[in-house]
Amino acid sequence: MPETTRRVAIVTGAARGIGAAVARRLAADGMAVAVVDLDATATATTVSAISSAGGRAIGIGADVSDADAVRAAVDRVAGELGGPTVLVNNAGITRDNLLFKMTERDWDAVIGVHLRGSFLMSRAAQAYMTEAKWGRIVNLSSTSALGNRGQANYAAAKAGLQGFTKTLAIELGKFGVTVNAIAPGFIATEMTAATAERLGMSFEDFQKAAAQQIPVGRVGQPDDIAHTASFLVSEGAGFVSGQVIYVAGGPRD
Ligand code: NAP
């Protein structure tokens, strides 16, 4: 795509893990990418990986659950790269505990990053998408949306994102904007490494145990999600909207 028509994408939580893989992939697809994460310095690795592969990226520090920070971040993207018409709401945290031990702070933190964060980012970015009469929003849900012991906060947020996705798809469709969700199963990242540590298992043993339950016989990698995101934000995916795609190495119901 020539520089003048290059799409501008924002990927949140893109300093590492799934977000970093998505950012690199969208850049390889020809998009200019804003790599957003809590700490601006943490975005440097992703930004330089994109730059050294010949792509265009900027790193921005912003807490997606902070309305002022989101507004400033999206304004900066528009100023430096152009109006963002692709948004991947990927930033996420876990604060796992059984219900009787879950604190209000852990509930609010998880709901705040996933749900409020995706709401704030989408509200800010949609202005550019509706103006361009073209846009793509992808929200990161999870198989945990179907229920997962110790994750009442996270499961509620990820199930909430599915309703959010479908509603935005209905509201924004007439502007050429599609909105979809990806619901990953087990993906090897620092998030799942931290879960292994919490359970007192080595990450290797944790992955081996998980792979035994997965029909394709392996755990997922960040690139598995990046590939799906690349499809959903592509020009040709304009008739796919309001969907939740489980990327989990097998079916989920
Ligand atoms: P990860 O390795 O923990 O990376 C998440 C990134 O998001 C981190 O760089 C983190 O920054 C950033 N972040 C956290 N809170 C933020 C905020 N308020 N504002 C901006 N950035 C923030 O996680 P991951 O495994 O790649 O997961 C990415 C997404 O996929 C999440 O939404 C997650 O729930 C979802 N997901 C993951 C899996 C899996 O198996 N890994 C499965 C299903 C769904 P800090 O390092 O500063 O905290």
Side-chain angles (χ1 to χ4, degrees), residues 12-19 36-39 62-65 89-93 113-114 140-143 154 158 184-192:
T12 68
R16 64 170 199 235
I18 293 170
V36 174
D37 212 288
L38 267 180
D39 174 13
D63 177 348
V64 296
S65 65
N89 286 309
N90 166 84
I93 58 169
V113 176
H114 297 270
L140 266 290
S141 180
S142 167
T143 50
Y154 186 80
K158 293 307 199 185
F186 188 117
I187 308 295
T189 67
E190 285 187 36
M191 184 178 273
T192 37

PDB file of all heavy atoms in Angstrom, residues 12-19 36-39 62-65 89-93 113-114 140-143 154 158 184-192, ligand 1:
ATOM      1  N   THR A  12      -2.923  -1.996  21.706  1.00  0.00           N
ATOM      2  CA  THR A  12      -2.653  -1.722  23.123  1.00  0.00           C
ATOM      3  C   THR A  12      -2.006  -2.942  23.783  1.00  0.00           C
ATOM      4  O   THR A  12      -2.188  -4.078  23.342  1.00  0.00           O
ATOM      5  CB  THR A  12      -3.939  -1.328  23.876  1.00  0.00           C
ATOM      6  OG1 THR A  12      -4.815  -2.474  23.945  1.00  0.00           O
ATOM      7  CG2 THR A  12      -4.660  -0.168  23.204  1.00  0.00           C
ATOM      8  N   GLY A  13      -1.242  -2.668  24.843  1.00  0.00           N
ATOM      9  CA  GLY A  13      -0.535  -3.754  25.530  1.00  0.00           C
ATOM     10  C   GLY A  13       0.455  -4.420  24.598  1.00  0.00           C
ATOM     11  O   GLY A  13       0.663  -5.628  24.652  1.00  0.00           O
ATOM     12  N   ALA A  14       1.090  -3.616  23.757  1.00  0.00           N
ATOM     13  CA  ALA A  14       1.911  -4.178  22.661  1.00  0.00           C
ATOM     14  C   ALA A  14       3.405  -4.195  22.972  1.00  0.00           C
ATOM     15  O   ALA A  14       4.220  -4.413  22.080  1.00  0.00           O
ATOM     16  CB  ALA A  14       1.638  -3.416  21.363  1.00  0.00           C
ATOM     17  N   ALA A  15       3.763  -3.978  24.237  1.00  0.00           N
ATOM     18  CA  ALA A  15       5.194  -4.034  24.594  1.00  0.00           C
ATOM     19  C   ALA A  15       5.705  -5.464  24.539  1.00  0.00           C
ATOM     20  O   ALA A  15       6.897  -5.695  24.350  1.00  0.00           O
ATOM     21  CB  ALA A  15       5.408  -3.454  25.989  1.00  0.00           C
ATOM     22  N   ARG A  16       4.807  -6.431  24.740  1.00  0.00           N
ATOM     23  CA  ARG A  16       5.262  -7.831  24.773  1.00  0.00           C
ATOM     24  C   ARG A  16       4.088  -8.752  24.443  1.00  0.00           C
ATOM     25  O   ARG A  16       2.971  -8.296  24.220  1.00  0.00           O
ATOM     26  CB  ARG A  16       5.828  -8.141  26.152  1.00  0.00           C
ATOM     27  CG  ARG A  16       4.787  -8.052  27.249  1.00  0.00           C
ATOM     28  CD  ARG A  16       5.310  -8.595  28.569  1.00  0.00           C
ATOM     29  NE  ARG A  16       4.209  -8.911  29.436  1.00  0.00           N
ATOM     30  CZ  ARG A  16       4.065  -8.426  30.678  1.00  0.00           C
ATOM     31  NH1 ARG A  16       4.956  -7.609  31.160  1.00  0.00           N
ATOM     32  NH2 ARG A  16       3.027  -8.787  31.403  1.00  0.00           N
ATOM     33  N   GLY A  17       4.374 -10.046  24.441  1.00  0.00           N
ATOM     34  CA  GLY A  17       3.319 -11.053  24.326  1.00  0.00           C
ATOM     35  C   GLY A  17       2.507 -10.944  23.050  1.00  0.00           C
ATOM     36  O   GLY A  17       3.030 -10.658  21.967  1.00  0.00           O
ATOM     37  N   ILE A  18       1.216 -11.181  23.189  1.00  0.00           N
ATOM     38  CA  ILE A  18       0.317 -11.203  22.029  1.00  0.00           C
ATOM     39  C   ILE A  18       0.295  -9.846  21.332  1.00  0.00           C
ATOM     40  O   ILE A  18       0.348  -9.764  20.098  1.00  0.00           O
ATOM     41  CB  ILE A  18      -1.111 -11.611  22.486  1.00  0.00           C
ATOM     42  CG1 ILE A  18      -1.109 -13.075  22.967  1.00  0.00           C
ATOM     43  CG2 ILE A  18      -2.112 -11.400  21.356  1.00  0.00           C
ATOM     44  CD1 ILE A  18      -2.401 -13.496  23.656  1.00  0.00           C
ATOM     45  N   GLY A  19       0.233  -8.771  22.113  1.00  0.00           N
ATOM     46  CA  GLY A  19       0.164  -7.422  21.531  1.00  0.00           C
ATOM     47  C   GLY A  19       1.378  -7.118  20.667  1.00  0.00           C
ATOM     48  O   GLY A  19       1.259  -6.532  19.584  1.00  0.00           O
ATOM     49  N   VAL A  36       1.108   0.868  21.974  1.00  0.00           N
ATOM     50  CA  VAL A  36       0.700   1.506  23.238  1.00  0.00           C
ATOM     51  C   VAL A  36       0.881   0.519  24.384  1.00  0.00           C
ATOM     52  O   VAL A  36       0.492  -0.648  24.277  1.00  0.00           O
ATOM     53  CB  VAL A  36      -0.782   1.967  23.152  1.00  0.00           C
ATOM     54  CG1 VAL A  36      -1.263   2.485  24.504  1.00  0.00           C
ATOM     55  CG2 VAL A  36      -0.943   3.025  22.070  1.00  0.00           C
ATOM     56  N   ASP A  37       1.484   0.991  25.468  1.00  0.00           N
ATOM     57  CA  ASP A  37       1.592   0.171  26.671  1.00  0.00           C
ATOM     58  C   ASP A  37       1.700   1.110  27.870  1.00  0.00           C
ATOM     59  O   ASP A  37       1.877   2.320  27.711  1.00  0.00           O
ATOM     60  CB  ASP A  37       2.797  -0.773  26.591  1.00  0.00           C
ATOM     61  CG  ASP A  37       2.536  -2.090  27.332  1.00  0.00           C
ATOM     62  OD1 ASP A  37       2.504  -2.067  28.577  1.00  0.00           O
ATOM     63  OD2 ASP A  37       2.354  -3.131  26.677  1.00  0.00           O
ATOM     64  N   LEU A  38       1.582   0.539  29.056  1.00  0.00           N
ATOM     65  CA  LEU A  38       1.596   1.356  30.276  1.00  0.00           C
ATOM     66  C   LEU A  38       2.818   2.253  30.336  1.00  0.00           C
ATOM     67  O   LEU A  38       2.714   3.439  30.634  1.00  0.00           O
ATOM     68  CB  LEU A  38       1.612   0.429  31.499  1.00  0.00           C
ATOM     69  CG  LEU A  38       0.273   0.050  32.124  1.00  0.00           C
ATOM     70  CD1 LEU A  38       0.521  -0.856  33.315  1.00  0.00           C
ATOM     71  CD2 LEU A  38      -0.511   1.290  32.529  1.00  0.00           C
ATOM     72  N   ASP A  39       3.979   1.663  30.052  1.00  0.00           N
ATOM     73  CA  ASP A  39       5.238   2.372  30.200  1.00  0.00           C
ATOM     74  C   ASP A  39       5.845   2.586  28.805  1.00  0.00           C
ATOM     75  O   ASP A  39       6.111   1.621  28.089  1.00  0.00           O
ATOM     76  CB  ASP A  39       6.153   1.488  31.077  1.00  0.00           C
ATOM     77  CG  ASP A  39       7.556   2.031  31.187  1.00  0.00           C
ATOM     78  OD1 ASP A  39       7.773   3.197  30.799  1.00  0.00           O
ATOM     79  OD2 ASP A  39       8.429   1.277  31.650  1.00  0.00           O
ATOM     80  N   ALA A  62       0.622   4.815  27.865  1.00  0.00           N
ATOM     81  CA  ALA A  62      -0.719   5.233  28.295  1.00  0.00           C
ATOM     82  C   ALA A  62      -1.388   4.084  29.044  1.00  0.00           C
ATOM     83  O   ALA A  62      -1.240   2.920  28.662  1.00  0.00           O
ATOM     84  CB  ALA A  62      -1.588   5.624  27.099  1.00  0.00           C
ATOM     85  N   ASP A  63      -2.106   4.450  30.089  1.00  0.00           N
ATOM     86  CA  ASP A  63      -2.947   3.479  30.796  1.00  0.00           C
ATOM     87  C   ASP A  63      -4.313   3.522  30.120  1.00  0.00           C
ATOM     88  O   ASP A  63      -4.991   4.554  30.140  1.00  0.00           O
ATOM     89  CB  ASP A  63      -3.048   3.899  32.269  1.00  0.00           C
ATOM     90  CG  ASP A  63      -3.970   2.996  33.078  1.00  0.00           C
ATOM     91  OD1 ASP A  63      -4.709   2.180  32.476  1.00  0.00           O
ATOM     92  OD2 ASP A  63      -3.975   3.125  34.314  1.00  0.00           O
ATOM     93  N   VAL A  64      -4.716   2.410  29.511  1.00  0.00           N
ATOM     94  CA  VAL A  64      -5.956   2.425  28.717  1.00  0.00           C
ATOM     95  C   VAL A  64      -7.207   2.643  29.578  1.00  0.00           C
ATOM     96  O   VAL A  64      -8.270   2.962  29.042  1.00  0.00           O
ATOM     97  CB  VAL A  64      -6.129   1.133  27.878  1.00  0.00           C
ATOM     98  CG1 VAL A  64      -5.030   1.010  26.834  1.00  0.00           C
ATOM     99  CG2 VAL A  64      -6.204  -0.108  28.752  1.00  0.00           C
ATOM    100  N   SER A  65      -7.073   2.495  30.902  1.00  0.00           N
ATOM    101  CA  SER A  65      -8.249   2.714  31.748  1.00  0.00           C
ATOM    102  C   SER A  65      -8.361   4.171  32.208  1.00  0.00           C
ATOM    103  O   SER A  65      -9.290   4.527  32.943  1.00  0.00           O
ATOM    104  CB  SER A  65      -8.212   1.776  32.965  1.00  0.00           C
ATOM    105  OG  SER A  65      -7.120   2.077  33.795  1.00  0.00           O
ATOM    106  N   ASN A  89      -7.707  -3.914  20.795  1.00  0.00           N
ATOM    107  CA  ASN A  89      -7.772  -3.762  22.251  1.00  0.00           C
ATOM    108  C   ASN A  89      -7.243  -5.039  22.895  1.00  0.00           C
ATOM    109  O   ASN A  89      -7.980  -6.010  23.096  1.00  0.00           O
ATOM    110  CB  ASN A  89      -9.213  -3.497  22.690  1.00  0.00           C
ATOM    111  CG  ASN A  89      -9.661  -2.097  22.361  1.00  0.00           C
ATOM    112  OD1 ASN A  89      -8.983  -1.120  22.679  1.00  0.00           O
ATOM    113  ND2 ASN A  89     -10.821  -1.971  21.719  1.00  0.00           N
ATOM    114  N   ASN A  90      -5.943  -5.002  23.199  1.00  0.00           N
ATOM    115  CA  ASN A  90      -5.259  -6.210  23.674  1.00  0.00           C
ATOM    116  C   ASN A  90      -4.759  -6.098  25.114  1.00  0.00           C
ATOM    117  O   ASN A  90      -4.543  -7.110  25.772  1.00  0.00           O
ATOM    118  CB  ASN A  90      -4.079  -6.490  22.715  1.00  0.00           C
ATOM    119  CG  ASN A  90      -3.109  -7.491  23.273  1.00  0.00           C
ATOM    120  OD1 ASN A  90      -3.314  -8.703  23.149  1.00  0.00           O
ATOM    121  ND2 ASN A  90      -2.038  -7.032  23.917  1.00  0.00           N
ATOM    122  N   ALA A  91      -4.566  -4.860  25.607  1.00  0.00           N
ATOM    123  CA  ALA A  91      -4.000  -4.689  26.957  1.00  0.00           C
ATOM    124  C   ALA A  91      -4.805  -5.499  27.964  1.00  0.00           C
ATOM    125  O   ALA A  91      -6.041  -5.488  27.931  1.00  0.00           O
ATOM    126  CB  ALA A  91      -4.002  -3.215  27.352  1.00  0.00           C
ATOM    127  N   GLY A  92      -4.100  -6.186  28.840  1.00  0.00           N
ATOM    128  CA  GLY A  92      -4.833  -7.002  29.807  1.00  0.00           C
ATOM    129  C   GLY A  92      -4.002  -7.351  31.021  1.00  0.00           C
ATOM    130  O   GLY A  92      -2.771  -7.324  30.981  1.00  0.00           O
ATOM    131  N   ILE A  93      -4.697  -7.653  32.094  1.00  0.00           N
ATOM    132  CA  ILE A  93      -4.049  -8.103  33.324  1.00  0.00           C
ATOM    133  C   ILE A  93      -4.891  -9.223  33.932  1.00  0.00           C
ATOM    134  O   ILE A  93      -6.076  -9.365  33.598  1.00  0.00           O
ATOM    135  CB  ILE A  93      -3.923  -6.972  34.378  1.00  0.00           C
ATOM    136  CG1 ILE A  93      -5.309  -6.385  34.740  1.00  0.00           C
ATOM    137  CG2 ILE A  93      -2.996  -5.864  33.878  1.00  0.00           C
ATOM    138  CD1 ILE A  93      -5.282  -5.458  35.944  1.00  0.00           C
ATOM    139  N   VAL A 113      -9.120  -2.415  33.202  1.00  0.00           N
ATOM    140  CA  VAL A 113      -8.216  -2.499  32.048  1.00  0.00           C
ATOM    141  C   VAL A 113      -8.946  -3.091  30.831  1.00  0.00           C
ATOM    142  O   VAL A 113      -8.928  -2.513  29.738  1.00  0.00           O
ATOM    143  CB  VAL A 113      -6.961  -3.348  32.364  1.00  0.00           C
ATOM    144  CG1 VAL A 113      -6.095  -3.501  31.117  1.00  0.00           C
ATOM    145  CG2 VAL A 113      -6.159  -2.706  33.496  1.00  0.00           C
ATOM    146  N   HIS A 114      -9.616  -4.209  31.021  1.00  0.00           N
ATOM    147  CA  HIS A 114     -10.206  -4.895  29.863  1.00  0.00           C
ATOM    148  C   HIS A 114     -11.454  -4.171  29.331  1.00  0.00           C
ATOM    149  O   HIS A 114     -11.533  -3.884  28.136  1.00  0.00           O
ATOM    150  CB  HIS A 114     -10.588  -6.332  30.229  1.00  0.00           C
ATOM    151  CG  HIS A 114      -9.413  -7.178  30.601  1.00  0.00           C
ATOM    152  ND1 HIS A 114      -8.707  -7.912  29.675  1.00  0.00           N
ATOM    153  CD2 HIS A 114      -8.805  -7.400  31.786  1.00  0.00           C
ATOM    154  CE1 HIS A 114      -7.716  -8.554  30.280  1.00  0.00           C
ATOM    155  NE2 HIS A 114      -7.754  -8.261  31.564  1.00  0.00           N
ATOM    156  N   LEU A 140      -9.652  -8.393  22.409  1.00  0.00           N
ATOM    157  CA  LEU A 140      -9.138  -9.680  22.887  1.00  0.00           C
ATOM    158  C   LEU A 140     -10.020 -10.194  24.019  1.00  0.00           C
ATOM    159  O   LEU A 140     -10.006  -9.655  25.126  1.00  0.00           O
ATOM    160  CB  LEU A 140      -7.690  -9.520  23.362  1.00  0.00           C
ATOM    161  CG  LEU A 140      -6.594  -9.822  22.344  1.00  0.00           C
ATOM    162  CD1 LEU A 140      -6.507 -11.314  22.031  1.00  0.00           C
ATOM    163  CD2 LEU A 140      -6.802  -9.059  21.038  1.00  0.00           C
ATOM    164  N   SER A 141     -10.810 -11.226  23.700  1.00  0.00           N
ATOM    165  CA  SER A 141     -11.580 -11.930  24.719  1.00  0.00           C
ATOM    166  C   SER A 141     -10.727 -13.107  25.185  1.00  0.00           C
ATOM    167  O   SER A 141      -9.492 -13.040  25.161  1.00  0.00           O
ATOM    168  CB  SER A 141     -12.925 -12.371  24.127  1.00  0.00           C
ATOM    169  OG  SER A 141     -13.697 -13.055  25.076  1.00  0.00           O
ATOM    170  N   SER A 142     -11.349 -14.209  25.579  1.00  0.00           N
ATOM    171  CA  SER A 142     -10.593 -15.373  26.067  1.00  0.00           C
ATOM    172  C   SER A 142     -11.550 -16.543  26.197  1.00  0.00           C
ATOM    173  O   SER A 142     -12.755 -16.351  26.402  1.00  0.00           O
ATOM    174  CB  SER A 142     -10.003 -15.044  27.445  1.00  0.00           C
ATOM    175  OG  SER A 142      -9.531 -16.220  28.075  1.00  0.00           O
ATOM    176  N   THR A 143     -11.007 -17.755  26.159  1.00  0.00           N
ATOM    177  CA  THR A 143     -11.842 -18.920  26.471  1.00  0.00           C
ATOM    178  C   THR A 143     -12.340 -18.838  27.918  1.00  0.00           C
ATOM    179  O   THR A 143     -13.348 -19.460  28.255  1.00  0.00           O
ATOM    180  CB  THR A 143     -11.053 -20.236  26.280  1.00  0.00           C
ATOM    181  OG1 THR A 143      -9.802 -20.134  26.969  1.00  0.00           O
ATOM    182  CG2 THR A 143     -10.797 -20.531  24.818  1.00  0.00           C
ATOM    183  N   TYR A 154     -11.861 -11.789  35.645  1.00  0.00           N
ATOM    184  CA  TYR A 154     -11.350 -11.886  34.263  1.00  0.00           C
ATOM    185  C   TYR A 154     -12.418 -12.483  33.331  1.00  0.00           C
ATOM    186  O   TYR A 154     -12.631 -11.992  32.213  1.00  0.00           O
ATOM    187  CB  TYR A 154     -10.094 -12.756  34.302  1.00  0.00           C
ATOM    188  CG  TYR A 154      -9.317 -12.881  33.026  1.00  0.00           C
ATOM    189  CD1 TYR A 154      -8.431 -11.885  32.615  1.00  0.00           C
ATOM    190  CD2 TYR A 154      -9.420 -14.026  32.233  1.00  0.00           C
ATOM    191  CE1 TYR A 154      -7.677 -12.030  31.453  1.00  0.00           C
ATOM    192  CE2 TYR A 154      -8.667 -14.171  31.079  1.00  0.00           C
ATOM    193  CZ  TYR A 154      -7.800 -13.173  30.688  1.00  0.00           C
ATOM    194  OH  TYR A 154      -7.059 -13.317  29.541  1.00  0.00           O
ATOM    195  N   LYS A 158     -13.998 -10.692  30.115  1.00  0.00           N
ATOM    196  CA  LYS A 158     -13.858 -11.261  28.771  1.00  0.00           C
ATOM    197  C   LYS A 158     -15.212 -11.616  28.150  1.00  0.00           C
ATOM    198  O   LYS A 158     -15.378 -11.528  26.923  1.00  0.00           O
ATOM    199  CB  LYS A 158     -12.941 -12.494  28.814  1.00  0.00           C
ATOM    200  CG  LYS A 158     -11.477 -12.165  29.170  1.00  0.00           C
ATOM    201  CD  LYS A 158     -10.894 -11.089  28.261  1.00  0.00           C
ATOM    202  CE  LYS A 158      -9.372 -11.063  28.250  1.00  0.00           C
ATOM    203  NZ  LYS A 158      -8.841  -9.937  27.457  1.00  0.00           N
ATOM    204  N   PRO A 184      -8.620 -16.208  22.622  1.00  0.00           N
ATOM    205  CA  PRO A 184      -7.539 -17.205  22.627  1.00  0.00           C
ATOM    206  C   PRO A 184      -7.735 -18.229  23.731  1.00  0.00           C
ATOM    207  O   PRO A 184      -8.313 -17.935  24.786  1.00  0.00           O
ATOM    208  CB  PRO A 184      -6.276 -16.372  22.912  1.00  0.00           C
ATOM    209  CG  PRO A 184      -6.670 -14.943  22.723  1.00  0.00           C
ATOM    210  CD  PRO A 184      -8.137 -14.886  23.033  1.00  0.00           C
ATOM    211  N   GLY A 185      -7.206 -19.438  23.470  1.00  0.00           N
ATOM    212  CA  GLY A 185      -7.027 -20.416  24.544  1.00  0.00           C
ATOM    213  C   GLY A 185      -5.675 -20.150  25.172  1.00  0.00           C
ATOM    214  O   GLY A 185      -5.262 -18.988  25.296  1.00  0.00           O
ATOM    215  N   PHE A 186      -4.954 -21.194  25.512  1.00  0.00           N
ATOM    216  CA  PHE A 186      -3.650 -21.043  26.171  1.00  0.00           C
ATOM    217  C   PHE A 186      -2.608 -20.543  25.178  1.00  0.00           C
ATOM    218  O   PHE A 186      -2.294 -21.220  24.203  1.00  0.00           O
ATOM    219  CB  PHE A 186      -3.211 -22.406  26.732  1.00  0.00           C
ATOM    220  CG  PHE A 186      -1.985 -22.348  27.594  1.00  0.00           C
ATOM    221  CD1 PHE A 186      -2.051 -22.703  28.938  1.00  0.00           C
ATOM    222  CD2 PHE A 186      -0.748 -21.957  27.084  1.00  0.00           C
ATOM    223  CE1 PHE A 186      -0.915 -22.663  29.744  1.00  0.00           C
ATOM    224  CE2 PHE A 186       0.386 -21.906  27.882  1.00  0.00           C
ATOM    225  CZ  PHE A 186       0.302 -22.270  29.202  1.00  0.00           C
ATOM    226  N   ILE A 187      -2.067 -19.362  25.435  1.00  0.00           N
ATOM    227  CA  ILE A 187      -0.998 -18.806  24.605  1.00  0.00           C
ATOM    228  C   ILE A 187       0.234 -18.605  25.501  1.00  0.00           C
ATOM    229  O   ILE A 187       0.113 -18.054  26.607  1.00  0.00           O
ATOM    230  CB  ILE A 187      -1.401 -17.434  23.992  1.00  0.00           C
ATOM    231  CG1 ILE A 187      -2.774 -17.521  23.275  1.00  0.00           C
ATOM    232  CG2 ILE A 187      -0.310 -16.935  23.048  1.00  0.00           C
ATOM    233  CD1 ILE A 187      -2.843 -18.415  22.064  1.00  0.00           C
ATOM    234  N   ALA A 188       1.370 -19.055  25.028  1.00  0.00           N
ATOM    235  CA  ALA A 188       2.602 -18.948  25.832  1.00  0.00           C
ATOM    236  C   ALA A 188       3.102 -17.507  25.849  1.00  0.00           C
ATOM    237  O   ALA A 188       3.642 -17.011  24.857  1.00  0.00           O
ATOM    238  CB  ALA A 188       3.676 -19.870  25.254  1.00  0.00           C
ATOM    239  N   THR A 189       2.873 -16.831  26.970  1.00  0.00           N
ATOM    240  CA  THR A 189       3.341 -15.445  27.162  1.00  0.00           C
ATOM    241  C   THR A 189       3.704 -15.274  28.638  1.00  0.00           C
ATOM    242  O   THR A 189       3.515 -16.199  29.440  1.00  0.00           O
ATOM    243  CB  THR A 189       2.234 -14.411  26.835  1.00  0.00           C
ATOM    244  OG1 THR A 189       1.195 -14.533  27.814  1.00  0.00           O
ATOM    245  CG2 THR A 189       1.657 -14.583  25.446  1.00  0.00           C
ATOM    246  N   GLU A 190       4.106 -14.069  28.986  1.00  0.00           N
ATOM    247  CA  GLU A 190       4.413 -13.803  30.405  1.00  0.00           C
ATOM    248  C   GLU A 190       3.180 -13.961  31.282  1.00  0.00           C
ATOM    249  O   GLU A 190       3.272 -14.258  32.465  1.00  0.00           O
ATOM    250  CB  GLU A 190       5.000 -12.396  30.564  1.00  0.00           C
ATOM    251  CG  GLU A 190       6.434 -12.328  30.082  1.00  0.00           C
ATOM    252  CD  GLU A 190       7.102 -10.992  30.383  1.00  0.00           C
ATOM    253  OE1 GLU A 190       6.831 -10.388  31.436  1.00  0.00           O
ATOM    254  OE2 GLU A 190       7.901 -10.558  29.536  1.00  0.00           O
ATOM    255  N   MET A 191       1.994 -13.741  30.685  1.00  0.00           N
ATOM    256  CA  MET A 191       0.761 -13.883  31.472  1.00  0.00           C
ATOM    257  C   MET A 191       0.576 -15.337  31.915  1.00  0.00           C
ATOM    258  O   MET A 191       0.292 -15.612  33.088  1.00  0.00           O
ATOM    259  CB  MET A 191      -0.446 -13.409  30.648  1.00  0.00           C
ATOM    260  CG  MET A 191      -1.756 -13.422  31.418  1.00  0.00           C
ATOM    261  SD  MET A 191      -3.151 -12.810  30.442  1.00  0.00           S
ATOM    262  CE  MET A 191      -3.053 -11.057  30.738  1.00  0.00           C
ATOM    263  N   THR A 192       0.756 -16.285  30.998  1.00  0.00           N
ATOM    264  CA  THR A 192       0.592 -17.700  31.369  1.00  0.00           C
ATOM    265  C   THR A 192       1.797 -18.191  32.180  1.00  0.00           C
ATOM    266  O   THR A 192       1.662 -19.069  33.034  1.00  0.00           O
ATOM    267  CB  THR A 192       0.359 -18.570  30.109  1.00  0.00           C
ATOM    268  OG1 THR A 192       1.152 -18.085  29.026  1.00  0.00           O
ATOM    269  CG2 THR A 192      -1.092 -18.573  29.702  1.00  0.00           C
TER     270      THR A 192
HETATM  271  P1  NAP B   1       0.975 -10.031  28.769  1.00  0.00           P
HETATM  272  O1  NAP B   1       2.173 -10.767  28.261  1.00  0.00           O
HETATM  273  O2  NAP B   1       0.778  -9.899  30.244  1.00  0.00           O
HETATM  274  O3  NAP B   1       0.973  -8.573  28.088  1.00  0.00           O
HETATM  275  C1  NAP B   1      -0.027  -7.632  28.383  1.00  0.00           C
HETATM  276  C2  NAP B   1       0.502  -6.251  28.118  1.00  0.00           C
HETATM  277  O4  NAP B   1      -0.547  -5.311  28.436  1.00  0.00           O
HETATM  278  C3  NAP B   1       1.709  -5.901  29.027  1.00  0.00           C
HETATM  279  O5  NAP B   1       2.734  -5.292  28.275  1.00  0.00           O
HETATM  280  C4  NAP B   1       1.090  -4.941  30.032  1.00  0.00           C
HETATM  281  O6  NAP B   1       1.979  -3.964  30.544  1.00  0.00           O
HETATM  282  C5  NAP B   1       0.018  -4.258  29.186  1.00  0.00           C
HETATM  283  N1  NAP B   1      -0.961  -3.598  30.027  1.00  0.00           N
HETATM  284  C6  NAP B   1      -1.494  -4.023  31.194  1.00  0.00           C
HETATM  285  N2  NAP B   1      -2.339  -3.120  31.700  1.00  0.00           N
HETATM  286  C7  NAP B   1      -2.330  -2.068  30.835  1.00  0.00           C
HETATM  287  C8  NAP B   1      -2.997  -0.805  30.820  1.00  0.00           C
HETATM  288  N3  NAP B   1      -3.831  -0.444  31.813  1.00  0.00           N
HETATM  289  N4  NAP B   1      -2.758   0.034  29.788  1.00  0.00           N
HETATM  290  C9  NAP B   1      -1.897  -0.299  28.811  1.00  0.00           C
HETATM  291  N5  NAP B   1      -1.241  -1.484  28.760  1.00  0.00           N
HETATM  292  C10 NAP B   1      -1.455  -2.352  29.764  1.00  0.00           C
HETATM  293  O7  NAP B   1      -0.390 -10.665  28.228  1.00  0.00           O
HETATM  294  P2  NAP B   1      -0.701 -11.546  26.928  1.00  0.00           P
HETATM  295  O8  NAP B   1      -0.685 -12.972  27.349  1.00  0.00           O
HETATM  296  O9  NAP B   1       0.085 -11.097  25.766  1.00  0.00           O
HETATM  297  O10 NAP B   1      -2.244 -11.173  26.727  1.00  0.00           O
HETATM  298  C11 NAP B   1      -2.699 -10.177  25.827  1.00  0.00           C
HETATM  299  C12 NAP B   1      -4.211 -10.166  25.794  1.00  0.00           C
HETATM  300  O11 NAP B   1      -4.683 -11.466  25.415  1.00  0.00           O
HETATM  301  C13 NAP B   1      -4.857  -9.861  27.137  1.00  0.00           C
HETATM  302  O12 NAP B   1      -6.037  -9.114  26.942  1.00  0.00           O
HETATM  303  C14 NAP B   1      -5.193 -11.222  27.671  1.00  0.00           C
HETATM  304  O13 NAP B   1      -6.235 -11.183  28.609  1.00  0.00           O
HETATM  305  C15 NAP B   1      -5.586 -11.952  26.399  1.00  0.00           C
HETATM  306  N6  NAP B   1      -5.479 -13.404  26.485  1.00  0.00           N
HETATM  307  C16 NAP B   1      -4.287 -14.028  26.748  1.00  0.00           C
HETATM  308  C17 NAP B   1      -4.239 -15.415  26.823  1.00  0.00           C
HETATM  309  C18 NAP B   1      -2.962 -16.173  27.105  1.00  0.00           C
HETATM  310  O14 NAP B   1      -3.031 -17.421  27.248  1.00  0.00           O
HETATM  311  N7  NAP B   1      -1.813 -15.552  27.184  1.00  0.00           N
HETATM  312  C19 NAP B   1      -5.408 -16.162  26.634  1.00  0.00           C
HETATM  313  C20 NAP B   1      -6.603 -15.498  26.382  1.00  0.00           C
HETATM  314  C21 NAP B   1      -6.623 -14.123  26.291  1.00  0.00           C
HETATM  315  P3  NAP B   1       2.748  -4.213  31.939  1.00  0.00           P
HETATM  316  O15 NAP B   1       3.815  -5.193  31.629  1.00  0.00           O
HETATM  317  O16 NAP B   1       3.320  -2.869  32.289  1.00  0.00           O
HETATM  318  O17 NAP B   1       1.740  -4.710  32.912  1.00  0.00           O
END
